[in-house]
Amino acid sequence: MGADFPPVHVRLGADQGLAWQLLASLERVFYGYSLAAIVGVLLGILLGQSLFAFRALDPLFQVLRTVPPLAWLPISLATLKQAEPSAVFVIFITAIWPIILNTAVGVRNIPQQYRNVARVLQLNGWEFFIKIMLPASVPFMFTGLRIGVGMSWLAIVAAEMLVGGTGIGFFLWDSWNSSLLSDMIVALAAIGLIGFALDRLLAALGALVQRGA
């Protein structure tokens, strides 16, 4: 898998061009991160509305979020028995903590006067969420989502180095084993650019949601 092959070539098994390796990694990130975003936002909203639950679970979340991503890989491999779902789980468990915590903080920080207005207007739960909670918590929520997507990208690159098969992490490790310095440099540049693009995408989406909220 040297630099003499075009970036989109496909041979057999893991012998694929850089573009396909990136797509394989992005697919894993999409599944794991999407699940983390959905679960994290929902849990964050629920915890943010209960001060008792937030204080009770925050220490647990703080402990779990400090566990390095690769420390989850042996557990997921032992449980799931397959590399692909294990890599997705590592992404999920890595990304979910900043999403939960930032969303919960955003909900907790809704100004009291906003809540008073909601009571005066007798807003139901859905109206309160759309008109009060979402606009007030979107900045915090998307801060967590941006941190989560960056951690997802870091986690998948590291996990693929150990799991093997396909992906940009495997491509980088395989290039090192093959002493292909040029391929390693190209892979590192691609990793950085994709990570930057993902962050910018979430930032733009957050700005769009905040303007529409």
Side-chain angles (χ1 to χ4, degrees), residues 4-23:
D4 54 321
F5 295 125
V8 295
H9 90 281
V10 178
R11 286 196 166 187
L12 295 174
D15 187 13
Q16 301 178 13
L18 179 61
W20 298 116
Q21 304 284 15
L22 285 168
L23 285 175

Side-chain angles (χ1 to χ4, degrees), residues 6-66:
V8 295
H9 90 281
V10 178
R11 286 196 166 187
L12 295 174
D15 187 13
Q16 301 178 13
L18 179 61
W20 298 116
Q21 304 284 15
L22 285 168
L23 285 175
S25 295
L26 286 170
E27 183 180 7
R28 296 183 183 110
V29 169
F30 173 78
Y31 290 127
Y33 177 75
S34 296
L35 185 59
I38 294 170
V39 176
V41 167
L42 292 177
L43 284 178
I45 290 173
L46 291 175
L47 289 176
Q49 296 184 84
S50 172
L51 181 60
F52 173 78
F54 182 81
R55 289 178 174 175
L57 294 176
D58 182 64
L60 175 63
F61 291 161
Q62 295 295 342
V63 170
L64 292 176
R65 76 180 184 87
T66 61

